[in-house]
């Protein structure tokens, strides 16, 4: 890149461009190599969870906790029933409600009583409503620990859209019994259960690319693992002793209650000497994806604020280096969006003003090829690993459907990337301006979004994309082709949101064995 920019020396803009490029190229390179490690682990059969084998049967007492907050009551209790029927009497179930809508908590109590009546032997199914949502989800779990934690050896934390099989739950308990220095084991959830085209694409990506990503993480982090807030088993006394969270000084968005509590809790357990592991091959761990692009980005608004709070925690005293890296990578997953936006603006500025040497276009093409390899190499690796397993290929519709799925998912990802970049950049700007958000209930229901909704929320994205084309034509006419793949996602944002939100489009894709 320095060779591309070094025409007649470096200008200030070119130095800024080179710095941004170095940071972002390192960021996508780290993701590429993580997938490479995962592919090697899968192909070589490397042990990803080198712990003592599970002890069965277990004499430990384990509670399954499902915190809920103004959720779809029927969906929540259908999930509880499915897990209860799979896990049997081996666990105590707690529905921990923080719902603030009176209709919600009345419906929850009625659904709990109805489920207890329908299930034989459901004396281990408990419901608690907390009148004040102090501390959000982490406060909800803390309240359980203070009132009932001493009754249990382990607790398994779920989200309102989580599902886990009895086999997976019993295996996690057995692993904790056999490995007394382990405080937490994260079971990576596979995305399932939604029917819109957007959700099906996310579920397909989770199923095809997820195994390499989680294998790479497990291989590299070992006992210095992370916690994703749900679908994990936790040793209760270790959690109670070390994971009480402080309230950060100052006002939100950077002060107050810690929103993204899970990364911090894992870091505190590691600081105390406990091991935190990921179990990428345990199976039987599931969750639902957001059904539409707006729901996905709205969820990211909360996570963005929570992860940026970690700027005040990443240098906290006593944390281990891998824990600091987890926190830093969580911050960078959102900070990269405004950096990409700045890089694009700087690139357009430099392209319009630079004097190019004789090898400029050769170097640019080389950089583009390298970038494409880093972005799409992980997808190719995932295809190669999956192609070795005939059952997996058949489960994804056959080799032809699998190839088409990867190509179309890559096209969708390329179109969505600039939309997410612009939206997350706005989120970070608003957070830096001191605008905080709460933690509203997540929309989990499939629904087709109408044109007026998409136009109202994504008209500005379209306008920015069209403005970008006009400005490039005026100030750097020869560079429009380079930027068009990025601008296309913004220009097409409204139809992209409408089409991908459609459950009918998802059903048509399923009938064609896609995704």
């Amino acid at each position: 890149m320095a060779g591309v920019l070094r025409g007649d020396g470096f200008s200030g803009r070119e130095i800024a461009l080179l710095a941004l490029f170095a940071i972002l190229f390192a960021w996508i390179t780290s993701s590429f190599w993580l997938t490479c490690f995962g592919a090697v682990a899968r192909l070589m059969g490397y042990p990803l969870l080198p712990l003592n084998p599970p002890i069965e049967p277990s004499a430990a007492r384990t509670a399954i906790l499902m915190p809920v907050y103004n959720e779809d009551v029927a969906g929540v209790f259908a999930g509880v029933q499915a897990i209860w029927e799979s896990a049997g009497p081996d666990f105590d179930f707690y529905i921990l409600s923080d719902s603030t809508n009176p209709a919600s908590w009345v419906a929850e109590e009625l659904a709990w009583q109805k489920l207890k009546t329908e299930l034989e032997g459901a004396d281990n199914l408990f419901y608690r409503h907390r009148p004040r949502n102090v501390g959000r989800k982490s406060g909800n779990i803390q309240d359980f620990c203070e009132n009932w934690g001493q009754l249990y050896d382990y607790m398994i934390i779920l989200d309102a859209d989580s599902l886990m099989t009895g086999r997976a739950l019993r295996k996690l308990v057995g692993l904790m019994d056999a490995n007394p220095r382990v405080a937490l084991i994260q079971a990576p959830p596979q995305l399932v259960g939604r029917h819109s085209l957007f959700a099906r694409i996310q579920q397909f990506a989770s199923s095809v690319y997820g195994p390499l990503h989680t294998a790479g993480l497990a291989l590299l982090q070992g006992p210095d693992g992370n916690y994703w807030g749900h679908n994990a088993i936790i040793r209760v006394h270790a959690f109670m002793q070390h994971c009480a969270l402080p309230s950060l000084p100052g006002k939100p968005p950077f002060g107050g209650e810690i929103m993204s509590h899970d990364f911090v809790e894992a870091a505190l357990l590691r600081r105390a000497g406990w091991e935190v592991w990921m179990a990428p091959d345990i199976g039987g761990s599931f969750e639902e994806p957001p059904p539409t692009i707006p729901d996905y980005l709205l969820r990211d608004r909360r996570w963005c604020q929570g992860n940026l709070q970690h700027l005040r925690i990443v240098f906290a005293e006593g944390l281990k280096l891998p824990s600091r890296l987890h926190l830093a990578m969580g911050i960078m997953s959102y900070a990269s969006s405004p950096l990409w936006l700045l890089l694009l603006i700087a690139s357009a500025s430099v392209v319009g003003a630079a004097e190019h040497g004789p090898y400029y276009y050769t170097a640019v093409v080389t950089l583009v090829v390298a970038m494409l390899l880093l972005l799409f190499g992980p997808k190719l690796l995932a295809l190669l690993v999956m192609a070795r397993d005939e059952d997996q290929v058949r489960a994804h519709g056959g080799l032809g459907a699998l190839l088409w799925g990867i190509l179309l998912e890559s096209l969708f990802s390329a179109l969505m990337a600039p939309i997410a970049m612009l939206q997350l950049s706005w989120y970070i700007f608003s957070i830096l301006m001191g605008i905080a958000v709460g933690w509203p209930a997540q929309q989990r229901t499939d629904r087709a979004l109408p044109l007026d909704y998409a136009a109202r929320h994504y008209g500005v994205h379209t306008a920015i994309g069209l403005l970008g084309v006009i400005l490039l034509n005026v100030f750097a006419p020869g560079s429009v082709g380079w930027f068009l793949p990025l601008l296309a996602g913004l220009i097409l944002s409204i139809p992209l949101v409408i089409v991908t939100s459609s459950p009918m489009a998802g059903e048509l894709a399923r009938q064609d064995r896609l995704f």
Side-chain angles (χ1 to χ4, degrees), residues 207-254:
S207 182
V208 176
Y209 314 138
L212 293 197
H213 178 76
T214 54
L217 271 177
L219 183 69
L220 291 176
Q221 66 191 17
D224 291 297
N226 206 359
Y227 172 37
W228 298 351
H230 55 91
N231 293 50
I233 188 169
I234 301 173
R235 196 175 298 272
V236 174
H237 78 85
F239 187 87
M240 291 177 65
Q241 188 174 358
H242 301 293
C243 293
L245 297 181
S247 182
L248 297 175
K251 295 181 179 179
F254 288 101

Side-chain angles (χ1 to χ4, degrees), residues 176-325:
M176 296 294 276
D177 284 345
N179 298 275
R181 289 307 307 160
V182 175
L184 188 151
I185 301 176
Q186 176 68 59
Q190 183 177 337
L191 300 181
V192 296
R194 295 266 60 90
H195 306 290
S196 68
L197 181 59
F198 174 77
R200 291 195 64 82
I201 294 172
Q202 299 301 107
Q203 289 163 185
F204 174 82
S206 166
S207 182
V208 176
Y209 314 138
L212 293 197
H213 178 76
T214 54
L217 271 177
L219 183 69
L220 291 176
Q221 66 191 17
D224 291 297
N226 206 359
Y227 172 37
W228 298 351
H230 55 91
N231 293 50
I233 188 169
I234 301 173
R235 196 175 298 272
V236 174
H237 78 85
F239 187 87
M240 291 177 65
Q241 188 174 358
H242 301 293
C243 293
L245 297 181
S247 182
L248 297 175
K251 295 181 179 179
F254 288 101
E257 297 169 344
I258 295 175
M259 295 180 69
S260 293
H261 56 92
D262 39 14
F263 281 37
V264 180
E265 288 159 348
L268 293 174
L269 289 170
R270 287 299 296 134
R271 183 174 73 170
W274 290 94
E275 296 179 3
V276 176
W277 289 87
M278 178 185 286
D281 294 326
I282 199 165
S285 175
F286 308 98
E287 69 170 327
E288 296 174 351
T292 69
I293 291 175
D295 294 321
Y296 178 89
L297 293 173
L298 188 62
R299 183 186 67 176
D300 265 12
R301 173 62 178 87
R302 304 192 303 262
W303 288 359
C304 179
Q305 180 175 324
N307 283 23
L308 289 185
Q309 278 186 316
H310 293 167
L311 286 165
R312 305 185 64 180
I313 299 170
V314 66
F315 299 111
E317 182 179 352
L319 298 186
K320 293 185 179 294
L321 179 59
S323 298
R324 299 189 197 276
L325 287 174

